[in-house]
Every structure is written in C-alpha cells, then in structure tokens.
Amino acid sequence: MVEPGAVVWFTGVPASGKSTVATLVEEKLRAMGCLVENLDADEVRQNLSPNLGFTPEARDENTKRLAWMGKILSRNGVHVLIAAVAPMRYYRDRAREWCPRFVEVFTTAPFEVCKERDPKGLYARGERGEINDIAGWHQPYEEPENPEVVLPTHELDLETCANMVIAKLRELGYLSCDGGCGCGCDDGYTAEEQAKVEERLKDLGYM
C-alpha cells in the first residue's frame, strides 16, 4: 500500500514569500528522495485554466482545482506543494477537508516589505491604477486562524523557513525518512535550532 503524501498549502498576500519558500522545500524533499510536485497557482492557472479571471467565483474555482489535484496526487504518495494566495479561509478549509495530510503554511511580511519586493510587478501596477484586485490591499485576505507553520519572511532567512516546513512534516509523521539514513535529510534543522526559532517567533508574537 502506498503511503500518502502531504499537501502543503503556502498562503499569504502577494510577495510574502510563498513561491520562494515552496521552491526550496521542493528541492529539499527531492534531495531526500521524496516524490514531490510543486503546484504554483499562477502556473496552474496559466496552463489549465487560462480563461479563469479573478472574480470571487473564479478564485473559488481555481482553488478548488488546486485542492483536487493535491488530493489525487497525495493519495498516490506524492508530496504536493501549493503556493496560492487563496484569500478566503474557506478555500483552504475545503482543501484541508479533502486532503487528510494537510499542512497550512502562512507566509507573512509587512505590506511595505511586500510592496518593495514585488517580483511580479503587481504592487507597481496597483500604484498606477492598472489593477485593483490585490488580496490584502484592494481585496480582503483572511489570515489563517491556526496554521501549522507561520513564517515571518521578513524576519527569517529562506533556509530557516524551508527547514521549519520540513521539521513540521517530520513532526506530524508525514516524512518516513527521519535522518541518519545517509540521504541527506538530516543536514538541516536540529532540535536546538528549532527551539531558538520558536523562541524568536514567540518574542515577535507569532506563537
């Protein structure tokens, strides 16, 4: 019987670090010998749903399709990483209901930091009045109430963020490889490092 994979949903406003962290987690899982797919919402939308817009109904449909893909891939042993804003909580709650091994990762940074990063130029376009549908600015963004992982990406470096996700997967028993096997999976996060990061997050009010 195939051991199910996990579905890791990275949520946060644009430029909060979702795709960047997901990409490094993907690299780490592949290095560990895991089956993994990284479903970036923008790429999935472009290739499978190019006609979907950004109305509430279209966002609902897009997140439903992402959750469904996560469900069918994970039940066949694939760890699925989904980087998608998914601004409404019920989008993510639906995915959690469908995917037994669901991990919600909340990437967060102050508005000004996201605006400065702006890798896709969304905030610049918003400033010019070309678009008015950015979640967390023009449109609502409902923060997760009880995410498994909180990543203040303006406070933590990328390596630490990715290792925190891997550590949570191990803690939840979703990674069969737990170190000491020679595959490289024990190169990252130690218990001491995790304790330091958790203490720092408590100081910042994220835990």
Side-chain angles (χ1 to χ4, degrees):
M1 183 176 178
V2 176
E3 182 177 357
V7 174
V8 185
W9 194 299
F10 296 82
T11 180
V13 300
S16 60
K18 302 179 297 297
S19 297
T20 303
V21 179
T23 298
L24 185 53
V25 172
E26 176 189 9
E27 291 176 7
K28 288 177 175 288
L29 290 176
R30 289 194 189 283
M32 293 165 58
C34 298
L35 296 175
V36 57
E37 287 292 341
N38 189 353
L39 303 180
D40 185 271
D42 290 340
E43 293 180 7
V44 171
R45 177 188 285 270
Q46 182 178 357
N47 288 286
L48 296 182
S49 311
N51 297 325
L52 278 181
F54 291 90
T55 64
E57 293 78 13
R59 292 178 190 272
D60 184 22
E61 184 63 30
N62 196 45
T63 53
K64 184 188 296 182
R65 292 176 185 180
L66 286 167
W68 184 78
M69 285 190 285
K71 173 184 176 181
I72 61 174
L73 286 169
S74 62
R75 73 187 181 194
N76 286 288
V78 180
H79 294 299
V80 183
L81 312 177
I82 299 174
V85 176
M88 310 309 290
R89 288 194 189 102
Y90 83 87
Y91 298 160
R92 284 115 56 186
D93 290 344
R94 176 174 53 206
R96 184 184 292 277
E97 183 178 336
W98 289 1
C99 306
R101 294 186 168 193
F102 186 82
V103 178
E104 190 173 30
V105 177
F106 178 35
T107 58
T108 180
F111 176 78
E112 290 303 325
V113 173
C114 296
K115 193 175 173 183
E116 185 176 345
R117 291 173 176 164
D118 202 17
K120 298 175 183 175
L122 292 176
Y123 291 95
R125 293 181 63 195
E127 288 280 7
R128 294 195 296 268
E130 296 173 3
I131 56 175
N132 62 355
D133 57 1
I134 298 176
W137 184 7
H138 309 102
Q139 302 294 326
Y141 174 77
E142 296 179 344
E143 295 185 359
E145 292 182 321
N146 294 295
E148 277 74 12
V149 183
V150 179
L151 301 177
T153 57
H154 59 299
E155 296 281 355
L156 304 175
D157 62 53
L158 176 58
E159 185 74 15
T160 298
C161 289
N163 284 340
M164 287 176 66
V165 176
I166 298 291
K168 178 56 70 173
L169 290 172
R170 284 206 185 101
E171 177 188 325
L172 294 171
Y174 298 162
L175 290 181
S176 57
C177 186
D178 59 359
C181 58
C183 73
C185 65
D186 55 349
D187 289 339
Y189 219 47
T190 67
E192 289 183 358
E193 290 171 332
Q194 181 174 348
K196 288 181 181 177
V197 171
E198 289 180 353
E199 190 64 32
R200 175 64 175 152
L201 291 174
K202 287 177 183 175
D203 291 342
L204 293 168
Y206 291 110
M207 294 182 68

